[in-house]
Amino acid sequence: MPVETPLIEFRDVTKRFGDQTVLDQVNLKIYENQITTIMAKAVRAKSVLLKHFIGLLSPDAGTIFFLGRPLDKMRRREWDRYRSQISYLFQNNALFDSMTVFDNIALPLRQTTNLSRKEIEQKVMARIEQTELTEAADKYPSQLSGGMQKRVAWHDLS
Ligand SMILES: Nc1ncnc2c1ncn2[C@@H]1O[C@H](COP(=O)(O)OP(=O)(O)O)[C@@H](O)[C@H]1O
Ligand SMILES: [Mg+2]
């Protein structure tokens, strides 16, 4: 059987903050169609690792590959295509407190597409209904249960 190219690969990835080395020559392969769990004690750089996947952080040494392509060699268009295939859910949901459920879900569409107001409303309401959040559409995150907040946070329609 041919050796499969990993979806994501870390090769000797090192990350430092000041004189603290938080990732020390990390090697990691993640394959398509598998569920991979990253486990470590608190403050052992799990979040730092994940932030490298999406370019929020970049390594001080080593290379990260997506299907064999080094992330740091990708130009804008390829990078955007790569990023558009990734979804993530924040530990604390990362919702905007001052915005309703509807507006939280609509935000990425308003910011990153040229869809009309009406088209955005249709898409957002369809998702809201699909995830049984209809009653909550006009509520603020603090008025929701934890499970409802998670469902709002999961939406990324962009
Ligand atoms: N932007 C940053 N600047 C400086 N230090 C950071 C930064 N982000 C994370 N760290 C440090 O990296 C270490 C790992 O943090 P983190 O990845 O959040 O841990 P975990 O997710 O495993 O609990 C911690 O010591 C944290 O203080
Ligand atoms: Mg963390």
Side-chain angles (χ1 to χ4, degrees), residues 87-99:
S87 296
Y88 40 87
L89 190 59
F90 287 92
Q91 205 159 11
N92 61 1
N93 299 323
L95 297 172
F96 289 100
D97 295 339
S98 62
M99 287 169 35

Side-chain angles (χ1 to χ4, degrees), residues 2 9 14 23-25 31 35 44 49 54 56-57 59 64 76-77 82 84 88 90 100 110 130 134 137 139 142 153:
E9 179 175 359
T14 294
L23 297 178
D24 191 4
Q25 297 187 301
Y31 292 93
I35 292 172
R44 292 287 174 86
L49 183 85
I54 54 174
L56 274 179
L57 292 172
I64 300 167
R76 185 57 191 261
R77 187 186 292 257
Y82 163 65
S84 72
Y88 40 87
F90 287 92
T100 63
R110 289 176 176 151
Q130 186 192 5
T134 311
K139 292 191 172 161
S142 64

Side-chain angles (χ1 to χ4, degrees), residues 9-157:
E9 179 175 359
F10 278 47
R11 220 175 274 169
D12 291 328
V13 169
T14 294
K15 182 68 182 175
R16 299 181 198 92
F17 293 113
D19 56 12
Q20 185 191 13
T21 300
V22 295
L23 297 178
D24 191 4
Q25 297 187 301
V26 170
N27 287 289
L28 170 75
K29 288 178 181 167
I30 293 177
Y31 292 93
E32 201 168 356
N33 297 322
Q34 293 184 357
I35 292 172
T36 301
T37 307
I38 294 164
M39 295 200 295
K41 288 186 183 174
V43 207
R44 292 287 174 86
K46 301 180 296 295
S47 294
V48 164
L49 183 85
L50 291 176
K51 285 174 184 171
H52 282 76
F53 285 33
I54 54 174
L56 274 179
L57 292 172
S58 45
D60 293 308
T63 310
I64 300 167
F65 300 85
F66 173 67
L67 292 173
R69 287 277 299 154
L71 297 192
D72 62 355
K73 294 287 189 296
M74 289 184 184
R75 288 169 183 271
R76 185 57 191 261
R77 187 186 292 257
E78 188 182 7
W79 174 253
D80 287 347
R81 210 177 329 117
Y82 163 65
R83 280 288 307 268
S84 72
Q85 296 177 74
I86 300 181
S87 296
Y88 40 87
L89 190 59
F90 287 92
Q91 205 159 11
N92 61 1
N93 299 323
L95 297 172
F96 289 100
D97 295 339
S98 62
M99 287 169 35
T100 63
V101 166
F102 182 95
D103 288 332
N104 266 286
I105 297 173
L107 184 72
L109 290 178
R110 289 176 176 151
Q111 294 215 329
T112 66
T113 72
N114 295 318
L115 295 176
S116 70
R117 250 177 66 106
K118 198 165 170 65
E119 286 168 321
I120 289 176
E121 186 176 330
Q122 281 168 355
K123 274 185 181 260
V124 172
M125 285 315 295
R127 278 297 188 89
I128 282 180
E129 280 157 26
Q130 186 192 5
T131 49
E132 298 179 7
L133 289 165
T134 311
E135 311 301 303
D138 295 323
K139 292 191 172 161
Y140 292 91
S142 64
Q143 299 174 289
L144 307 180
S145 70
M148 289 163 103
Q149 288 178 13
K150 279 273 185 238
R151 276 181 276 149
V152 179
W154 165 75
H155 292 282
D156 182 359
L157 298 179

